[in-house]
Amino acid sequence: GLTIYISLFFWEFSQAQLAMIAGVSAAASLVGSVLAPQIARRLGKKGAALLGYFLGALGELTPYALRLLNLMPPNGDDAVFQILAIGRFVNVCSWSVTGICISAMIADVVEDNAVRTGQRSEGFLFAADSLFKKIASAGGPALAGLILAAAQFPVGAKKGEVEPEVLLTLMMLYLPLLVAIYAASMSIMACYNINRASHAANLEALRRR
């Protein structure tokens, strides 16, 4: 929800650069979809999903860390766009891997639940997944609006004309929330306890039943 504001006012990208970033994101999602099954075969679905979360966080947060450490070139330098484009590619590619693995993990939960309860709940579980995604899609922009309001971001702002104090307040609200979301996501994912062996055992139990 805040990406366009960050890109336009914090990094001061042009419309052409925003379009190129969108192209990078599209290419990254395709690459991630190709890599996901290969990584999952090597690390398991949980391992691949966690790796995607970690690399996604690294790709997204590294440019901000460089700016905070005064290691990022000034806005307008071509290197800024190149660093952000690489970070976006890593982020979206990694999130694509994670998203695909999570969908496959939900399918494994179906079998695990069937063994435990004797009932299949595919419809319920995938409907819940869809519901949570809809909640995130609706809640994300709402939360973004609250953050912009808290930062007193000006209405009708123009690139290069937003007060540095406003941008600093925006980033001080945005970055801790971003880190918290990544930390919560990885912590919850770490609790997932279905592995390749237990999934095979579930399938065998269902076959016998």
Side-chain angles (χ1 to χ4, degrees), residues 45 99-109 192:
K45 295 167 189 173
I100 290 171
C101 289
I102 287 176
S103 295
M105 291 160 73
I106 293 173
D108 291 352
V109 172
Y192 182 85

Side-chain angles (χ1 to χ4, degrees), residues 20-205:
M20 286 188 281
I21 286 288
V24 168
S25 298
S29 65
L30 292 175
V31 172
S33 66
V34 173
L35 292 177
Q38 302 176 47
I39 298 174
R41 277 194 292 269
R42 288 178 174 271
L43 302 179
K45 295 167 189 173
K46 174 182 173 179
L50 281 170
L51 179 65
Y53 273 133
F54 176 76
L55 293 179
L58 196 65
E60 186 165 10
L61 295 173
T62 295
Y64 299 113
L66 293 175
R67 175 56 57 87
L68 290 172
L69 295 171
N70 293 320
L71 298 176
M72 179 72 84
N75 287 350
D77 192 306
D78 288 343
V80 173
F81 174 77
Q82 293 164 5
I83 292 170
L84 265 294
I86 293 170
R88 177 62 62 86
F89 184 88
V90 172
N91 177 256
V92 175
C93 181
S94 301
W95 269 96
S96 181
V97 170
T98 296
I100 290 171
C101 289
I102 287 176
S103 295
M105 291 160 73
I106 293 173
D108 291 352
V109 172
V110 170
E111 271 77 29
D112 188 69
N113 187 63
V115 170
R116 294 172 185 271
T117 67
Q119 297 179 339
R120 299 193 65 88
S121 306
E122 294 96 324
F124 175 77
L125 289 169
F126 281 101
D129 179 55
S130 178
L131 175 62
F132 288 133
K133 288 175 180 175
K134 291 181 184 299
I135 291 172
S137 297
L143 181 58
L146 291 174
I147 293 174
L148 289 171
Q152 297 184 336
F153 201 88
V155 177
K158 295 182 180 180
K159 186 174 66 174
E161 297 182 4
V162 178
E163 293 293 331
E165 294 79 9
V166 173
L167 290 174
L168 178 62
T169 302
L170 174 63
M171 299 311 293
M172 289 301 98
L173 294 170
Y174 173 68
L175 290 177
L177 180 61
L178 195 61
V179 171
I181 290 172
Y182 275 117
S185 298
M186 286 187 277
S187 298
I188 293 169
M189 182 61 64
C191 297
Y192 182 85
N193 60 4
I194 301 175
N195 56 34
R196 191 170 297 166
S198 63
H199 179 59
N202 284 337
L203 293 178
E204 177 61 21

